[in-house]
Amino acid sequence: MTFSHDTEQALGTLVRLVNTLPGPNSQVDTLETLEELEKFVHEREFSAVGSLSDKDLAEVRDLRPLFSPVFTTGSDADAAAMINAIVARGTTTPRLTNHDGHPWHIHYSRDGASLACRITVECGIALAQVISAGERERLRRCEAPDCDDALIDLSRNRSKRYCDARTCGNRLHVAAYRERRKASGE
């Protein structure tokens, strides 16, 4: 299953946003300041974002616990209920646009919408597309024992097990290799 560029972009934004929450092995919140929010906006290539305020920061931070459970829910129905509640918080005004060299794509929020509204609607609709395509299992948490970061598995065979934010997969593969060498007496 291949999603459109804008859906994959929104899903990437969602994963990045959810992963700013402190985790069980790291109590660091990486979205505490306006500077961190500005960096997030720049990294995720949001267009037409004006000056950000403390209100924007608070609103975006408040979205994280709403989206986070979608990555661990056990059923499509539960995920759909969460996503419907999230999208209902925003104001949707679908429109076609082709800004910044990107081909025609759909933005679901109106011009001038707050950053939190844009994230709510764009990421919520992207999640709705994942669920409606029967692909909820692509939404998961990293399988590394010391990490629980959210991830979206966009691989063809649904084989992604580790997040991109850290070196989880590489660390576990190296540890397994060393253990095999040790067991073989090398």
Side-chain angles (χ1 to χ4, degrees):
M1 163 67 50
T2 302
F3 296 102
S4 67
H5 168 75
D6 50 315
T7 297
E8 289 185 10
Q9 178 71 12
L11 293 169
T13 296
L14 176 61
V15 165
R16 173 72 172 82
L17 177 67
V18 168
N19 289 341
T20 64
L21 282 166
N25 297 308
S26 169
Q27 298 306 311
V28 178
D29 185 328
T30 59
L31 192 60
E32 289 186 315
T33 67
L34 276 174
E35 292 78 24
E36 290 168 332
L37 180 60
E38 288 167 353
K39 181 180 176 187
F40 172 79
V41 166
H42 177 73
E43 286 174 356
R44 297 310 310 160
E45 299 178 352
F46 279 93
S47 61
V49 174
S51 297
L52 296 169
S53 67
D54 288 333
K55 180 181 178 193
D56 292 310
L57 177 61
E59 290 174 349
V60 171
R61 287 174 49 87
D62 288 347
L63 295 176
R64 301 176 304 171
L66 299 175
F67 280 113
S68 185
V70 175
F71 289 90
T72 55
T73 187
S75 74
D76 289 355
D78 289 343
M82 288 180 216
I83 295 164
N84 286 338
I86 290 167
V87 173
R89 294 172 54 107
T91 304
T92 61
T93 309
R95 62 189 169 81
L96 285 166
T97 183
N98 67 342
H99 60 85
D100 299 329
H102 295 291
W104 287 104
H105 59 283
I106 302 171
H107 279 195
Y108 293 96
S109 55
R110 65 184 173 4
D111 286 337
S114 70
L115 179 60
C117 179
R118 290 175 63 186
I119 292 171
T120 298
V121 173
E122 302 290 332
C123 294
I125 295 293
L127 284 171
Q129 291 173 345
V130 170
I131 301 305
S132 67
E135 299 288 340
R136 182 181 50 83
E137 69 274 3
R138 292 181 180 276
L139 305 171
R140 59 178 77 115
R141 294 290 181 162
C142 181
E143 292 182 19
D146 61 341
C147 182
D148 76 336
D149 277 0
L151 66 92
I152 177 78
D153 181 358
L154 297 174
S155 68
R156 186 173 297 214
N157 63 358
R158 295 175 185 84
S159 62
K160 186 172 181 175
R161 297 174 49 205
Y162 306 108
C163 67
D164 294 328
R166 300 173 38 176
T167 58
C168 295
N170 189 47
R171 285 184 301 110
L172 291 173
H173 292 298
V174 168
Y177 171 76
R178 288 181 179 156
E179 192 61 35
R180 284 191 307 272
R181 289 195 62 178
K182 183 177 174 184
S184 69
E186 290 182 29

